[in-house]
Amino acid sequence: MTLPNMHYADLKDSYLFYDISQKVNAYIERNPQSRVLRLGIGDVTLPLCKAVTDALHSAVDDQSRQESFHGYMPECGAPFLREAIAAHYAGRGVSVGPEEVFVSSGASDELGDILSLFDVSNTALIPEPAYPAYVDANVMEGRKIIHLPTDENSGFLPLPDEKYKAGIIYLCSPNNPTGAVFTRELLKDWVDFANRNGNIIIFDAAYEAFIEDESVPRSIFEIEDAKSCAIEISSLSKTAGFTGTRLGYTVIPAELTRNGMNFNEMWVRNRTTKTNGVSYIIQKGAAAVFTDEGQRQIKENIRVYKNNARTLMNALDSAGMKYTGGRNAPYIWMKCPEGLDSWALFDYLLNEAGIVGTPGEGFGICAKEWFRFTSFGKTEDTEEAAKRLALLFAKRRSK
Ligand code: PLP
């Protein structure tokens, strides 16, 4: 008999987005006239910017002509894109060589695939609430997990502690779902902790483009000594609206070694075995993001999302609600009002105001009293949702 990977049986059923869509569909059936405002799923709504679509069109044309046609692309990424990404890091004062940059089809793919570099005996330390893929990808491999709950007292930021014996440490900044960002000092504490204990940090920088405070690091490699203990995984999904176009990148420093093995060389070996590279067309579109014009245009889109966040934050402020995030992140993480847990609040907002958010419980059991709104919705929906939220919470408070 063929034996399946039985670790899949250890996965907790994740009905989060399924349950949400079932509840929303039932609501629409009951209230066909209602305007449902979706601030739940973290997908973007604005189209790709013109610099990117121009580059995509021209890359399609390249593929139609004999003299500019491209077949298989280099497995680790096209040199033009690896160089553009390295130059982007350099622009922020971070020295990363093109051969340390690996182009991927997105951060989710990479978060799962990268685990093949680590022996299964390494425990994974996952601060929660967290993007659910961290836990599930490790459960699938049968890896032991330390779930490290964080709370509002620490601003949802985990603190290193010698009692954590973990080979792999997940850090995400800006965080999904809490919007928390690491300060330079705290990130340095984690880098020192990892170097001291021989651990490796997987740093998820998928939302770095939303950081507006100059003092907040956008890459772990802005921190001294990080190159001997960290891998950074990033994505154009939220930075440039690539959720459906797909492109991510990973930085594995040349000097990252453990037990005589070099992680960068291992990843080259992995990629050259397990992929045939990302499409030429998509890589051309991605390279346009890193041009001056591309940067200007993606920042315009990010500004729209930031205004949405501001609109929601103003509404929550006016209703006296407690929340984190929104400033350096596209997510607003709100404390549920007294007497409602996150699923009860989900039902309440849907039924009373036609608003769809995401119950905190979906990001870890420690987040049952929290709720996530995204700023990726359409501006007109966000404005309407803000009005309804302010009214609803103000009414609830005055009762
Ligand atoms: N990391 C975090 C923290 C995310 O929230 C997401 C997507 O929502 C991803 C990674 C995945 O991004 P991608 O679309 O590049 O797979």
Side-chain angles (χ1 to χ4, degrees):
M1 184 182 72
T2 304
L3 273 184
N5 177 348
M6 289 306 294
H7 297 304
Y8 280 61
D10 299 331
L11 289 165
K12 292 226 170 60
D13 286 333
S14 173
Y15 292 129
L16 179 67
F17 290 110
Y18 176 76
D19 282 352
I20 290 177
S21 73
Q22 291 290 96
K23 281 172 182 272
V24 173
N25 290 344
Y27 172 81
I28 293 172
E29 229 164 78
R30 287 195 310 274
N31 305 278
Q33 311 301 339
S34 169
R35 176 175 168 204
V36 176
L37 306 170
R38 295 170 195 273
L39 304 180
I41 293 179
D43 202 352
V44 294
T45 48
L46 291 171
L48 295 170
C49 67
K50 186 168 180 315
V52 169
T53 52
D54 283 351
L56 290 171
H57 284 299
S58 120
V60 170
D61 290 342
D62 286 348
Q63 293 298 70
S64 73
R65 289 186 299 260
Q66 184 70 66
E67 62 279 14
S68 53
F69 171 76
H70 287 77
Y72 286 126
M73 297 301 289
E75 295 88 344
C76 299
F80 64 77
L81 182 54
R82 298 176 88 184
E83 278 157 23
I85 294 170
H88 183 67
Y89 274 99
R92 303 208 300 256
V94 177
S95 162
V96 161
E99 71 295 341
E100 294 178 306
V101 176
F102 294 84
V103 174
S104 74
S105 294
S108 291
D109 313 45
E110 205 79 337
L111 283 163
D113 293 349
I114 204 89
L115 289 176
S116 102
L117 297 182
F118 301 95
D119 190 89
V120 76
S121 66
N122 290 291
T123 296
L125 177 70
I126 305 183
E128 291 178 358
Y131 182 54
Y134 306 156
V135 170
D136 288 351
N138 280 286
V139 170
M140 284 174 188
E141 301 219 334
R143 192 166 281 115
K144 206 172 138 229
I145 296 171
I146 301 173
H147 299 266
L148 172 60
T150 63
D151 60 24
E152 56 188 310
N153 298 324
S154 61
F156 292 101
L157 289 168
L159 304 178
D161 189 318
E162 297 301 330
K163 73 174 185 250
Y164 305 137
K165 305 290 177 217
I168 309 169
I169 299 167
Y170 283 83
L171 299 180
C172 176
S173 179
N175 183 274
N176 176 13
T178 67
V181 284
F182 279 90
T183 59
R184 229 165 260 286
E185 294 69 30
L186 183 53
L187 203 48
K188 176 66 174 149
D189 287 348
W190 275 106
V191 164
D192 290 345
F193 175 86
N195 276 323
R196 209 165 42 243
N197 294 293
N199 310 141
I200 289 186
I201 296 170
I202 296 183
F203 189 78
D204 186 337
Y207 297 98
E208 58 85 11
F210 288 79
I211 294 175
E212 55 190 63
D213 291 341
E214 282 299 316
S215 62
V216 173
R218 296 172 68 155
S219 160
I220 194 165
F221 299 118
E222 290 178 34
I223 308 298
E224 202 184 340
D225 302 327
K227 282 198 161 183
S228 52
C229 69
I231 290 174
E232 179 158 295
I233 294 183
S234 203
S235 166
L236 293 188
S237 281
K238 311 299 161 77
T239 302
F242 270 60
T243 51
T245 306
R246 310 302 303 146
L247 193 119
Y249 52 94
T250 299
V251 175
I252 308 183
E255 66 195 74
L256 186 64
T257 58
R258 293 290 183 272
N259 210 22
M261 301 290 281
N262 180 296
F263 282 80
N264 182 292
E265 288 168 11
M266 287 165 74
W267 196 234
V268 171
R269 192 71 177 82
N270 179 297
R271 295 293 83 183
T272 50
T273 305
K274 295 196 174 179
T275 81
N276 268 326
V278 175
S279 140
Y280 165 76
I281 296 166
I282 303 299
Q283 292 196 69
K284 274 294 196 186
V289 170
F290 298 99
T291 61
D292 289 347
E293 187 52 25
Q295 285 292 299
R296 200 189 57 71
Q297 292 179 9
I298 62 160
K299 280 179 188 147
E300 270 171 32
N301 284 2
I302 289 173
R303 198 166 50 233
V304 171
Y305 295 137
K306 282 192 166 286
N307 285 341
N308 287 349
R310 181 43 49 214
T311 304
L312 287 170
M313 287 155 79
N314 288 343
L316 298 184
D317 286 340
S318 76
M321 302 302 291
K322 194 184 242 185
Y323 63 84
T324 64
R327 181 169 163 75
N328 291 301
Y331 298 117
I332 292 169
W333 184 240
M334 186 188 76
K335 181 126 194 204
C336 298
E338 274 293 303
L340 293 177
D341 71 12
S342 65
W343 272 111
L345 179 61
F346 176 88
D347 291 334
Y348 178 71
L349 291 181
L350 180 62
N351 293 316
E352 299 295 322
I355 292 173
V356 184
T358 312
E361 200 180 325
F363 303 97
I365 206 73
C366 63
K368 272 185 161 173
E369 289 173 9
W370 293 79
F371 199 81
R372 192 190 77 174
F373 293 112
T374 113
S375 63
F376 289 125
K378 298 192 177 111
T379 294
E380 59 274 24
D381 284 358
T382 309
E383 284 169 353
E384 177 61 25
K387 276 190 215 145
R388 293 186 195 176
L389 284 172
L391 270 176
L392 193 67
F393 288 138
K395 204 165 82 191
R396 206 183 144 80
R397 277 174 87 85
S398 66
K399 269 194 190 155

